[in-house]
C-alpha cells in the first residue's frame, strides 16, 4: 500500500498534469497507448479498437438508453448494473414473485424473461465525417447557415447508412462543441432477456444512505442475454431466436485487483462540460446547485417523515425518493468540489490569458461576449430550473396536466391515472406543494412570477390556504373520478384548479421565459463552438478529449484510495466483512438476506472482495461499464463515483475523483452462493 499512497498524495499536492483525466475516443486510442502503457497497460491500440478484426469494443454495448453493458460469453450473456436493470426486474415482479426483493435466477435458457422495449446497441464503427457534414458551407455564410447545413447533411448521411431491416442505425454526433462531427454506426438488438439479479438487499445494499459514498458494499449487478435470429441478426422477440454469438466477449479475471493496478473503463459516459466559461461553472456551482439542493431538501424531509411512519408509504415512495436523492447528493459534491478546486477563479485566470492572446484576431472579445451571454441567461435559466424543481415536481399539478394531454390525444382509458395513484400519498404531495411554492414565492424575483399565481396566493391569503383550497376542490385528488374522465370532460378539466395553476405556470414559461432563453441558448451554442476552437488553437500542445455525449469512450487510471478529509484515508477495496459490520435487520438499507449471514458465519469468506476504487474518469452513463485490467480481462463493473469527486463533470481532480466498481469476484460469489446458478459459469471464460 505505502508506496502507492505516497504517490497518490504526491499527485494531489504537486503534479496535476499526471491526472488520469480524460474520456478518450477509442478509434484514436493509439495517441494514448504509450501513456496507458506507462501506467501498466499491456494491450495494443488494435486490441482496444479495430475495424479490421474483432476487438474489445465489440464486447461493449449501450444498454437501454442510458447505461453500459458488456458481453461475457460466446452465448450472448451480458453484465450490467442492478440499478440499470431495475425497471425490468420490477416489471416482472408481482406479489407472488417479488424479484426485486428476492432476486431472480433463471435455471435454464427457457426460464429467461423477455423485456419488450429493451435494446442493446453495438458500435460497428465510428469515423470523422466533419467534411461531409459541413459540405456546402463556408465561413462567410455565418453560423446559422452552418447549423442548418450540418443538420441537413447529417440527416442525409444517417438515412443513407441506416438499414432498419438489419437493425443498423447511424447517428452523427457533434464533438468539441460542434467543431467536429462523428458518424456512429450501431447494430441494435431488441430481444434481450433477464437471466439473473440478486435480491435488492444485495444489489442495492446500502441504498441511498451509501449512494455516492465510500466505503461501499453494493452488489450492483444484473445479468441479461441477447438473442438473435438464426443468422445472428437483430429480431423481435421470438421463442425461435437463438443466443447471439458476439464477435468478442470479455474473459473474467479471478486474480482481482490491488492498490496501484492499472484499470480502464470502456463505456458510454453521458454528459460533461469540461471546457466551458467560468460563468457557466459559477452558475452551476454557486447558484443552480445550491438552489436545487435546497428545494430537494424540502421534498426529501417531507418524504422521510411520512415514509418512516408507514411501511406502505415507504414502498410507494422508495423509487421517487431514490431519484430525488441521487441528484441531490451529486450536486452537493459538485458544488463543494468546484469551490474547493477554485474552478471559477482558475478559469477566470485562464480566460484572461486567452483573451490577451486573442486580441486583434478572430476571437477578439469572445471571452467577454460569452460572459455577458451567461449573465443574460441566468435569471431566465434559473426560472426555468425553478419551474422544473417546483411546479413540475408537485404530483397533483403534474397529473392534471398529463391527463389533459392524454384526453387531447383521445386516450381516456384511465391506465395512467391508476398507475399514478398506486404510488401516490396525498399528505406528502400537499405538504410538498406548500413548501415548494412558498419557496417559489419568496425566492423568485417578482417579475419572474406568473400573475395568476400571485393573484391566487393573494386571494387565498397564503400558499397554505391556496393548497387547502386546491386539494379540497380538485377532482384529481380522487383516483376514481380522475380515471373515469373522458374526452367529453375536457371543459371540466380546464376548469379544475390544479389544472389551472399548472397551465398558468406553463403559459408563463412559454411566453415570458422560453423566448429569451431559446435565443440566448442559440447564441451561446455558437459562442461556445468558437470558444472551444479558440482554446484548441491557444494550446496547440494540449490533448483535448471531447466532452461526453453517450458515445463510446475509454478512461484509464489506477486502483487508488483517497483522503476525503483531514486525517482520513480511505483504502480502495471493501470486503464481505464490511457488509457484516453494516448489517442491521432494523435498518432497511442494511438488512441482508439471512443466507448471506449464514454463509459468512460458516467461515472462510471474510476477505471476499466486494467493491474497489480507481482513478478512472467516468460519469452518468458509465454505469454497467466493464472495468478491465492491463490485459483486457474483466475485473469489475463500474457503478458510481465518490460524492467528493462529482465535480469531475466540470473539472477532474486526481485527489478526489474516484470511480466505484463492483469486484467481479463478488458477482461470481453471489451467483454461486445466493443464486445457485452455477450453470452460467460453464459458458464464461474465467482465468
Ligand atoms: N449514484 C449512482 C448513479 O448516479 C447510482 C444510483 C442508483 N442507486 C441509488 N441508491 N439511488 O447512477
Ligand atoms: N451512477 C452513475 C450511472 O448510473 C455513474 C456515475 O455517475 O458515476 O451511470
Amino acid at each position: 500500500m505505502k508506496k502507492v499512497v505516497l504517490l497518490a498524495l504526491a499527485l494531489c499536492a504537486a503534479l496535476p498534469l499526471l491526472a488520469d483525466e480524460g474520456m478518450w475516443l477509442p478509434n484514436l486510442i493509439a495517441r494514448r497507448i504509450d501513456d496507458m502503457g506507462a501506467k501498466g497497460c499491456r494491450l495494443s491500440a488494435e486490441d482496444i479498437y479495430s475495424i479490421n478484426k474483432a476487438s474489445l469494443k465489440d464486447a461493449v454495448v449501450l444498454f437501454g438508453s442510458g447505461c453500459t453493458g458488456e458481453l461475457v460469453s460466446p452465448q450472448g450473456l451480458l453484465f450490467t448494473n442492478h440499478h440499470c436493470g431495475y425497471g425490468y426486474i420490477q416489471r416482472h415482479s408481482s406479489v407472488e414473485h417479488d424479484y426485486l426483493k428476492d432476486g431472480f435466477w433463471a435455471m435454464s435458457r427457457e426460464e429467461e424473461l423477455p423485456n419488450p422495449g429493451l435494446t442493446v446497441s453495438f458500435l460497428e464503427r465510428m469515423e470523422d465525417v466533419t467534411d461531409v457534414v459541413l459540405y456546402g458551407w463556408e465561413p462567410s455564410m455565418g453560423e446559422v447557415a452552418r447549423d442548418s447545413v450540418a443538420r441537413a447533411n447529417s440527416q442525409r448521411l444517417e438515412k443513407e447508412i441506416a438499414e432498419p431491416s438489419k437493425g443498423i442505425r447511424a447517428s452523427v454526433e457533434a464533438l468539441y462543441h460542434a467543431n467536429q462531427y462523428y458518424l456512429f454506426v450501431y447494430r441494435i438488438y431488441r430481444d434481450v432477456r433477464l437471466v439473473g439479479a440478486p435480491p435488492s438487499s444485495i444489489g442495492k445494499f446500502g441504498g441511498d444512505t451509501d449512494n455516492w459514498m465510500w466505503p461501499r458494499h453494493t452488489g450492483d449487478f444484473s445479468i441479461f442475454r441477447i438473442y438473435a435470429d438464426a443468422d445472428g441478426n437483430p429480431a423481435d422477440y421470438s421463442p425461435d431466436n437463438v443466443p447471439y454469438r458476439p464477435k468478442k466477449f470479455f474473459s473474467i479475471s479471478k486474480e482481482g485487483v490491488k492498490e496501484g493496478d492499472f484499470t480502464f473503463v470502456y463505456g458510454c459516459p453521458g454528459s460533461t462540460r469540461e471546457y466551458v466559461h467560468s460563468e457557466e461553472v459559477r452558475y452551476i456551482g454557486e447558484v443552480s446547485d445550491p438552489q436545487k439542493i435546497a428545494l430537494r431538501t424540502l421534498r426529501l424531509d417531507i418524504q422521510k417523515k411520512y415514509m418512516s411512519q408507514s411501511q406502505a408509504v415507504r414502498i410507494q415512495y422508495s423509487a421517487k425518493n431514490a431519484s430525488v436523492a441521487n441528484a441531490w447528493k451529486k450536486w452537493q459534491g459538485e458544488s463543494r468540489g468546484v469551490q474547493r478546486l477554485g474552478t471559477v477563479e482558475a478559469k477566470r485566470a485562464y480566460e484572461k490569458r486567452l483573451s490577451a492572446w486573442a486580441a486583434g484576431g478572430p476571437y477578439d472579445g469572445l471571452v467577454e461576449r460569452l460572459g455577458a451571454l451567461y449573465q443574460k441567461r441566468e435569471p431566465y435559466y434559473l426560472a426555468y430550473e425553478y419551474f422544473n424543481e417546483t411546479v413540475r415536481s408537485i404530483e397533483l399539478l403534474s397529473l392534471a396536466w398529463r391527463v389533459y394531454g392524454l384526453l387531447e390525444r383521445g386516450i381516456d382509458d384511465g391506465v395512467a391515472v391508476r398507475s399514478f395513484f398506486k404510488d401516490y400519498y396525498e399528505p406528502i404531495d400537499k405538504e410538498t406543494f406548500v413548501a415548494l411554492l412558498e419557496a417559489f414565492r419568496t425566492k423568485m424575483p417578482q417579475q419572474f412570477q406568473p400573475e395568476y399565481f400571485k393573484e391566487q396566493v393573494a386571494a387565498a391569503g397564503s400558499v397554505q390556504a391556496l393548497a387547502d383550497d386546491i386539494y379540497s376542490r380538485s377532482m384529481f385528488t380522487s383516483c376514481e373520478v380522475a380515471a373515469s374522465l373522458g374526452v367529453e370532460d375536457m371543459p371540466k378539466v380546464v376548469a379544475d384548479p390544479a389544472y389551472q395553476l399548472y397551465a398558468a405556470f406553463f403559459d408563463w414559461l412559454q411566453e415570458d421565459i422560453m423566448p429569451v432563453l431559446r435565443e440566448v441558448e442559440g447564441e451561446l451554442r455558437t459562442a461556445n463552438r468558437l470558444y472551444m476552437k479558440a482554446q484548441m488553437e491557444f494550446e496547440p500542445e494540449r490533448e483535448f478529449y471531447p466532452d461526453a455525449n453517450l458515445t463510446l469512450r475509454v478512461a484509464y487510471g489506477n486502483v487508488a484510495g483517497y483522503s476525503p478529509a483531514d486525517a482520513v484515508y480511505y483504502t480502495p477495496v471493501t470486503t464481505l466483512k464490511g457488509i457484516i459490520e453494516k448489517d442491521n435487520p432494523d435498518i432497511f438499507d442494511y438488512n441482508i438476506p439471512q443466507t448471506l449471514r449464514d454463509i459468512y458465519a460458516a467461515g472462510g469468506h471474510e476477505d471476499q472482495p466486494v467493491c474497489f476504487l480507481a482513478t478512472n474518469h467516468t460519469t452518468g452513463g458509465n454505469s454497467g461499464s466493464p472495468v478491465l485490467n492491463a490485459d483486457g480481462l474483466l475485473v469489475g463493473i463500474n457503478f458510481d463515483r465518490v460524492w467528493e469527486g462529482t465535480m469531475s463533470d466540470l473539472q477532474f481532480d486526481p485527489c478526489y475523483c474516484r470511480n466505484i466498481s463492483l469486484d467481479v469476484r463478488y458477482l461470481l460469489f453471489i451467483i454461486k452462493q445466493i443464486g445457485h446458478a452455477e450453470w452460467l459459469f460453464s459458458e464464461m471464460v474465467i482465468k
Side-chain angles (χ1 to χ4, degrees):
M1 186 175 94
K2 299 106 231 145
K3 220 166 67 201
V4 188
V5 173
L6 287 178
L7 179 69
L9 295 180
L11 274 173
C12 289
L15 298 165
L17 287 178
L18 289 182
D20 299 314
E21 175 180 354
M23 301 171 169
W24 306 97
L25 292 172
N27 65 327
L28 301 179
I29 205 67
R31 295 184 189 168
R32 307 302 308 173
I33 205 73
D34 288 346
D35 188 45
M36 291 173 79
K39 290 201 159 77
C41 185
R42 288 186 284 267
L43 298 168
S44 72
E46 276 274 298
D47 292 332
I48 295 171
Y49 181 96
S50 170
I51 44 170
N52 304 311
K53 59 167 192 157
S55 60
L56 296 181
K57 84 135 177 36
D58 297 307
V60 185
V61 295
L62 178 66
F63 180 86
S65 55
C67 278
T68 307
E70 55 275 4
L71 276 290
V72 292
S73 93
Q75 309 286 341
L77 202 65
L78 173 151
F79 293 162
T80 187
N81 290 146
H82 186 261
H83 80 262
C84 295
Y86 199 84
Y88 303 99
I89 305 165
Q90 182 170 42
R91 248 161 270 168
H92 290 294
S93 298
S94 61
V95 178
E96 300 82 57
H97 305 285
D98 192 345
Y99 300 140
L100 272 185
K101 182 168 162 287
D102 304 326
F104 168 78
W105 304 97
M107 286 303 163
S108 67
R109 297 250 175 83
E110 291 68 40
E111 288 179 15
E112 296 172 357
L113 302 172
N115 301 285
L118 174 60
T119 58
V120 299
S121 309
F122 287 86
L123 180 68
E124 298 260 296
R125 62 190 167 91
M126 57 194 286
E127 65 186 275
D128 187 341
V129 290
T130 313
D131 291 346
V132 183
V133 168
L134 292 179
Y135 183 78
W137 178 79
E138 285 168 41
S140 64
M141 293 162 67
E143 290 293 323
V144 177
R146 188 181 187 275
D147 264 1
S148 56
V149 167
R151 199 167 322 121
N153 284 338
S154 297
Q155 280 168 3
R156 206 179 39 242
L157 190 60
E158 287 170 354
K159 227 167 143 184
E160 243 167 62
I161 292 172
E163 293 177 76
S165 65
K166 291 189 181 155
I168 302 286
R169 194 174 72 84
S171 141
V172 173
E173 302 288 344
L175 299 178
Y176 299 106
H177 291 265
N179 282 291
Q180 216 178 57
Y181 291 92
Y182 253 70
L183 171 71
F184 293 84
V185 181
Y186 296 100
R187 200 164 155 89
I188 302 177
Y189 285 80
R190 51 190 190 274
D191 183 356
V192 185
R193 304 185 196 167
L194 178 65
V195 176
S200 290
S201 52
I202 288 172
K204 211 178 176 260
F205 179 79
D208 283 290
T209 316
D210 283 7
N211 190 23
W212 299 112
M213 308 268 273
W214 191 257
R216 190 66 160 276
H217 300 87
T218 312
D220 199 344
F221 75 91
S222 56
I223 307 175
F224 289 78
R225 190 190 302 281
I226 306 167
Y227 281 79
D229 70 14
D231 302 320
N233 289 317
D236 288 330
Y237 169 80
S238 156
D240 301 332
N241 286 347
V242 295
Y244 166 72
R245 305 190 66 85
K247 282 188 233 165
K248 183 89 188 172
F249 63 91
F250 291 113
S251 299
I252 295 169
S253 167
K254 57 173 193 282
E255 296 300 317
V257 292
K258 55 181 190 321
E259 186 148 25
D261 282 358
F262 175 82
T263 62
F264 68 110
V265 174
Y266 210 151
C268 310
S271 171
T272 58
R273 307 282 291 169
E274 308 284 349
Y275 308 107
V276 291
H277 192 276
S278 57
E279 278 299 293
E280 180 168 335
V281 178
R282 182 192 59 76
Y283 174 74
I284 295 173
E286 294 174 22
V287 182
S288 173
D289 282 349
Q291 298 267 14
K292 291 188 296 191
I293 291 163
L295 291 170
R296 288 198 176 201
T297 303
L298 297 171
R299 284 163 80 186
L300 290 168
D301 286 348
I302 295 165
Q303 291 176 0
K304 193 167 144 203
K305 184 174 83 187
Y306 289 100
M307 287 168 79
S308 66
Q309 287 167 9
S310 149
Q311 178 78 350
V313 175
R314 195 188 54 67
I315 293 169
Q316 281 184 318
Y317 276 74
S318 67
K320 292 178 196 174
N321 186 262
S323 84
V324 176
N326 194 41
W328 171 79
K329 211 158 176 179
K330 188 211 145 164
W331 291 329
Q332 296 181 41
E334 182 172 78
S335 173
R336 284 174 52 151
V338 293
Q339 268 178 48
R340 190 183 48 229
L341 285 178
T343 309
V344 174
E345 293 72 22
K347 283 199 178 249
R348 281 187 186 141
Y350 174 80
E351 285 153 12
K352 221 166 156 179
R353 284 187 284 126
L354 191 143
S355 180
W357 162 86
Y363 306 116
D364 197 352
L366 177 60
V367 165
E368 295 72 19
R369 191 149 58 81
L370 262 169
L373 281 170
Y374 278 113
Q375 275 162 22
K376 183 169 172 199
R377 182 185 77 146
E378 184 160 321
Y380 293 90
Y381 197 63
L382 185 62
Y384 166 77
E385 293 207 282
Y386 244 79
F387 171 78
N388 282 330
E389 290 291 324
T390 59
V391 179
R392 272 190 67 183
S393 303
I394 297 166
E395 296 177 82
L396 183 73
L397 303 187
S398 294
L399 174 69
W401 183 252
R402 215 165 89 219
V403 169
Y404 177 84
L406 289 170
L407 294 180
E408 220 179 10
R409 305 205 314 269
I411 304 168
D412 63 357
D413 54 16
V415 172
V417 172
R418 272 186 280 273
S419 93
F420 170 91
F421 275 96
K422 190 165 98 35
D423 290 333
Y424 182 69
Y425 187 60
E426 192 181 305
I428 289 188
D429 190 40
K430 189 174 166 191
E431 222 172 294
T432 304
F433 175 107
V434 176
L436 294 182
L437 291 188
E438 187 59 28
F440 192 100
R441 190 183 73 79
T442 50
K443 296 276 171 10
M444 276 284 109
Q446 281 297 313
Q447 75 271 28
F448 283 101
Q449 301 206 15
E451 286 308 319
Y452 179 85
F453 173 60
K454 287 194 246 179
E455 285 160 20
Q456 290 290 307
V457 175
S462 67
V463 172
Q464 176 67 56
L466 179 63
D468 291 340
D469 178 51
I470 291 179
Y471 283 76
S472 67
R473 282 200 297 126
S474 172
M475 56 188 179
F476 289 101
T477 54
S478 157
C479 179
E480 293 84 88
V481 176
S484 67
L485 290 170
V487 177
E488 66 287 356
D489 297 316
M490 293 280 273
K492 264 164 62 189
V493 173
V494 173
D496 188 273
Y499 173 84
Q500 288 200 338
L501 187 60
Y502 193 104
F505 272 103
F506 186 80
D507 291 345
W508 156 82
L509 191 72
Q510 295 311 318
E511 285 156 25
D512 293 4
I513 306 298
M514 292 314 287
V516 182
L517 198 52
R518 273 195 208 102
E519 192 195 309
V520 185
E521 296 262 352
E523 288 177 54
L524 269 173
R525 252 197 315 281
T526 308
N528 268 320
R529 179 180 87 76
L530 295 175
Y531 185 47
M532 184 80 237
K533 194 159 176 271
Q535 292 178 69
M536 293 170 98
E537 289 171 26
F538 178 54
E539 296 182 275
E541 301 300 316
R542 178 168 161 198
E543 277 268 18
F544 289 85
Y545 58 92
D547 268 321
N549 60 353
L550 214 60
T551 59
L552 200 58
R553 304 296 174 89
V554 172
Y556 59 90
N558 297 83
V559 175
Y562 74 111
S563 171
D566 188 30
V568 182
Y569 183 79
Y570 284 152
T571 54
V573 175
T574 57
T575 62
L576 194 56
K577 192 162 86 219
I579 295 187
I580 301 300
E581 283 169 7
K582 285 179 181 173
D583 175 30
N584 184 337
D586 296 328
I587 301 176
F588 181 78
D589 286 344
Y590 294 134
N591 184 11
I592 58 171
Q594 186 56 41
T595 30
L596 193 55
R597 286 183 195 119
D598 296 342
I599 292 162
Y600 187 82
H605 299 297
E606 294 76 9
D607 298 329
Q608 169 62 49
V610 176
C611 294
F612 64 88
L613 289 178
T615 58
N616 304 297
H617 189 181
T618 56
T619 188
N622 269 124
S623 274
S625 300
V627 185
L628 306 158
N629 69 11
D631 297 309
L633 302 185
L634 189 72
V635 288
I637 304 176
N638 184 74
F639 69 94
D640 208 3
R641 281 171 286 165
V642 299
W643 75 280
E644 296 94 341
T646 50
M647 71 295 183
S648 62
D649 294 351
L650 301 166
Q651 186 185 355
F652 186 89
D653 174 14
C655 302
Y656 291 92
C657 294
R658 297 289 179 272
N659 65 311
I660 306 179
S661 305
L662 168 75
D663 191 309
V664 74
R665 291 171 299 173
Y666 185 54
L667 176 154
L668 300 176
F669 172 86
I670 296 295
I671 290 180
K672 179 169 171 213
Q673 302 283 351
I674 301 288
H676 307 294
E678 286 102 325
W679 71 282
L680 295 171
F681 294 150
S682 62
E683 61 185 283
M684 300 176 194
V685 175
I686 304 172
K687 298 187 187 170

